[in-house]
Amino acid sequence: MSKILVIGHRNPDTDTDAIGAAIGLASLEAALGSDVEAVALGRPSLETAFALEHFGLDAPRVIETAAPSDVMLVDHNERQQSVADITDVTVLKVIDHHRIANFETAAPLYVRVEPVGCTCTILTRMYAENGVDIPRAEAGIMLSAIISDTLLFNSPTCTDADRAAAAELAAIAGVDVDEYGDALLRAGTALGDDPASTIIGRDSKSFAMGPKTVRVSQLTTVDSAEVLDRRDEFFAAMTAEKDAAGYDLYLLLITDVIACDSDLLVVGEPVTAVEQALGVTVADGHAFGKGVVSRKKQIVPQLTEVLDV
């Protein structure tokens, strides 16, 4: 019988939670007697690679399809964000901290979704509930996921549960949260020589919002001006992907992890929906979001409400 595959969402390239949660849940399930393997739907980001190397972990192998294996999903539930053949496999578990949408199964399953900043916060509780000790390396990658998802506790998605889980995991991993967190976030902000089309795909998700399909990408930086110098490249890449995939709107969130603000690039229509939802003015495809750092809490719900008519 095939191993059960533990899978995060597509494009995990800047989302340490997608890979960290897969590793964390796989380790817990293995300790409880299941035959499991953590896998990924894309290559790890510079940030995730930094965390994996720091704690001596190998990157999960990348898969395109999951059949004939059964699967467990972490850090997502929407089918357009999951493995390509998600409708052909049996989903046994979902552990997530996002909205529920476009998700149904043929058989009952275990679902745990909590309004916290990171899936690995939920997993930390699950280890305790099952009386399983968290290994140091797994604690390190799970801590990294919490730091990444909450921007070192500066995101509005961050909860007291995230802070408590991070403190517990840091003690196990043997690191100082602030010192390690700063190094981790900085490791993930380098654009390198990658083309704009690659950069916007690093952390990108699609959402059905009423009759519209919206693509929202996010990249983090310590120098927004440097990124905005390449805005014409990003606009061209976003437009090409929007047209090829048939998206109505494409938004790119450029988040400064030091200032905790974001610049927003927008292509497609209706731009007025973006302005209404986010309370910003879009001029020549650009807007500034004071204090906006979270796609999940500050972009998607507000835009969904406006477009879901």
Side-chain angles (χ1 to χ4, degrees):
M1 186 174 181
S2 301
K3 284 180 178 289
I4 298 167
L5 302 181
V6 185
I7 305 172
H9 55 73
R10 295 183 190 181
N11 301 320
D13 298 27
T14 58
D15 190 347
T16 302
D17 196 24
I19 289 179
I23 293 172
L25 180 58
S27 178
L28 173 60
E29 291 291 334
L32 296 175
S34 296
D35 188 15
V36 296
E37 178 189 3
V39 295
L41 301 183
R43 63 185 178 88
S45 67
L46 294 174
E47 178 187 272
T48 307
F50 174 90
L52 291 169
E53 181 178 359
H54 189 93
F55 294 106
L57 290 166
D58 293 327
R61 69 183 177 95
V62 176
I63 64 167
E64 298 292 335
T65 57
S69 298
D70 295 339
V71 302
M72 297 179 180
L73 307 182
V74 294
D75 199 33
H76 76 291
N77 64 81
E78 299 186 48
R79 65 175 178 268
Q80 73 269 19
Q81 297 175 9
S82 198
V83 69
D85 60 345
I86 188 63
T87 58
D88 300 325
V89 298
T90 298
V91 180
L92 301 178
K93 287 188 178 184
V94 175
I95 314 296
D96 194 12
H97 67 128
H98 296 94
R99 70 175 192 172
I100 305 286
N102 299 322
F103 179 72
E104 61 181 33
T105 62
L109 72 161
Y110 179 93
V111 177
R112 185 161 179 171
V113 179
E114 297 183 19
V116 294
C118 183
T119 308
C120 284
T121 297
I122 305 170
L123 290 175
T124 303
R125 291 173 171 170
M126 291 175 65
Y127 272 89
E129 291 163 0
N130 285 278
V132 176
D133 292 333
I134 306 175
R136 177 184 179 275
E138 281 75 2
I141 195 66
M142 290 166 61
L143 169 65
S144 302
I146 295 173
I147 291 170
S148 176
D149 265 15
T150 66
L151 292 179
L152 197 53
F153 317 122
N154 288 312
S155 170
T157 62
C158 186
T159 67
D160 288 342
D162 298 298
R163 296 183 184 90
E168 177 182 342
L169 294 168
I172 298 169
V175 297
D176 177 87
V177 173
D178 292 326
E179 182 179 335
Y180 173 73
D182 182 72
L184 176 73
L185 293 179
R186 289 181 181 277
T189 62
L191 297 185
D193 296 325
D194 286 345
S197 57
T198 298
I199 294 169
I200 64 174
R202 288 177 179 174
D203 183 8
S204 195
K205 295 181 179 180
S206 300
F207 302 90
M209 300 182 182
K212 304 295 185 180
T213 300
V214 181
R215 186 77 161 172
V216 186
S217 296
Q218 185 170 22
L219 64 88
T220 56
T221 182
V222 293
D223 187 349
S224 296
E226 180 183 17
V227 178
L228 289 171
D229 282 344
R230 298 179 60 181
R231 76 175 69 193
D232 289 344
E233 296 176 52
F234 287 120
F235 279 135
M238 293 163 66
T239 300
E241 186 172 332
K242 179 186 75 68
D243 293 344
Y247 304 130
D248 296 287
L249 268 172
Y250 198 129
L251 284 67
L252 174 62
L253 197 64
I254 303 167
T255 301
D256 188 316
V257 298
I258 304 299
C260 292
D261 300 315
S262 294
D263 288 272
L264 186 68
L265 302 186
V266 183
V267 298
E269 293 291 342
V271 172
T272 53
V274 177
E275 294 181 320
Q276 181 182 345
L278 307 183
V280 298
T281 299
V282 179
D284 297 324
H286 172 263
F288 177 72
K290 179 67 175 177
V292 175
V293 296
S294 172
R295 171 175 53 197
K296 182 182 71 173
K297 192 165 185 176
Q298 295 173 296
I299 301 289
V300 173
Q302 293 84 348
L303 199 52
T304 299
E305 183 176 356
V306 171
L307 292 174
D308 194 10
V309 295

